[in-house]
Amino acid sequence: MRYILPMFCFFLVAACKMQPADLHEQAKKDIADAEKAFEKMAEEKGIAEGFCYFADSNAIIKRGDDSLIIGKDGIKHFYARPYFKTASVSWSPDFIDASIDGTMGYTYGKYIWVSKDSTGKTKELKGIFHTVWKKQKDGSWKYVWD
């Protein structure tokens, strides 16, 4: 009898542990939520703030003439340029996937940059984005590549 209770507890805990398929699906939902929060922060607090906040400490973004901007400080500095103060960006993933263990994921979809030139004329730039996400130790998601 004294062995039955510990064995029951062991099997109960083992049964409650998330299975790989559950981790995979939860990660996809969490990444979708992170994408929405990222876009919302970029809209409400500015592009520099959004891109810096959601960047992993080792994040890299590829921009313009295939330039690589490395790290949170580099990303914040890049987006602090005057052009981005009058610009806005919106995007929506068309596809989201994650690793089976729920620790990495990626998205891709369409984006739209809207900015004003020095004469006040609005310019719109459309394209395709690809973001790689990494689950952090605190459970949040940050991008490592954009």
Side-chain angles (χ1 to χ4, degrees), residues 50-90:
F51 274 82
C52 184
Y53 179 83
F54 281 92
D56 179 87
S57 60
N58 297 310
I60 299 172
I61 59 175
K62 179 178 150 292
R63 295 293 183 267
D65 59 349
D66 287 339
S67 298
L68 296 180
I69 296 94
I70 301 170
K72 287 178 84 116
D73 290 339
I75 291 167
K76 191 163 192 169
H77 178 75
F78 176 80
Y79 282 117
R81 297 183 323 189
Y83 166 83
F84 294 108
K85 295 188 187 315
T86 62
S88 64
V89 62
S90 60

Side-chain angles (χ1 to χ4, degrees), residues 88-137:
S88 64
V89 62
S90 60
W91 67 90
S92 180
D94 293 326
F95 185 81
I96 300 171
D97 203 2
S99 61
I100 294 298
D101 68 355
T103 60
M104 296 287 292
Y106 69 97
T107 58
Y108 62 81
K110 297 168 189 71
Y111 69 82
I112 301 172
W113 280 95
V114 178
S115 63
K116 292 184 179 184
D117 64 17
S118 59
T119 66
K121 183 178 176 184
T122 301
K123 296 167 85 178
E124 189 174 278
L125 176 67
K126 295 180 181 183
I128 304 294
F129 73 89
H130 173 245
T131 305
V132 177
W133 292 88
K134 180 180 177 185
K135 189 172 186 178
Q136 305 297 296
K137 289 179 183 177

